[in-house]
Amino acid sequence: MAATRPRPLSPHLTIWKWGPAMLVSILHRVTGSALTVAGLALLTWWLWALADGGDSYNVFAFAAGHPFGLFILVGLTWAFFQHTLSGLRHLLMDAGEGFELKVNKTSAVATILGSLLLTIAVWAYLLGAAR
């Protein structure tokens, strides 16, 4: 009877060198989950408060305007832009583009910087328009 050989193990995170592409891939999963759970909960609360009106909406508006509420809203805005830009990057890669190492790294860094810049632009506009 033949002896069974141990199966090879897949490389794990301690072996791979971290890079922008790996970070963007992980962020894509994390931001998708955050948008699904927190974003949907916040959207449901807002719609419920809007439909109920009066005190319910005042409570929501107070919570959204609180520093912690603004922190959550800014975080969800960043998650939205990061997930969207990363999704566009993955769409281009599914079409066979951007697999060269330099292009891949550049597009990964561009999604991170783009999401930060878009978040800053949106919130600068919103906070500037509120005054």
Side-chain angles (χ1 to χ4, degrees), residues 62-77:
F62 175 78
H66 188 272
F68 184 70
L70 288 173
F71 177 76
I72 297 296
L73 290 173
V74 170
L76 284 173
T77 305

Side-chain angles (χ1 to χ4, degrees), residues 5-93:
R5 294 185 303 184
R7 295 177 59 123
L9 298 176
S10 295
H12 45 81
L13 293 177
T14 59
I15 293 173
W16 290 103
K17 181 180 175 189
W18 276 80
M22 181 186 247
L23 176 63
V24 167
S25 179
I26 292 169
L27 283 176
H28 187 70
R29 292 173 177 89
V30 170
T31 55
S33 298
L35 289 169
T36 300
V37 175
L40 187 58
L42 193 63
L43 177 64
T44 303
W45 183 21
W46 176 66
L47 289 173
W48 189 302
L50 194 62
D52 196 32
D55 288 338
S56 295
Y57 192 77
N58 291 337
V59 170
F60 174 83
F62 175 78
H66 188 272
F68 184 70
L70 288 173
F71 177 76
I72 297 296
L73 290 173
V74 170
L76 284 173
T77 305
W78 170 79
F80 170 77
F81 284 126
Q82 178 62 43
H83 193 75
T84 301
L85 294 177
S86 180
L88 291 173
R89 177 178 178 270
H90 282 287
L91 184 63
L92 289 174
M93 291 177 71

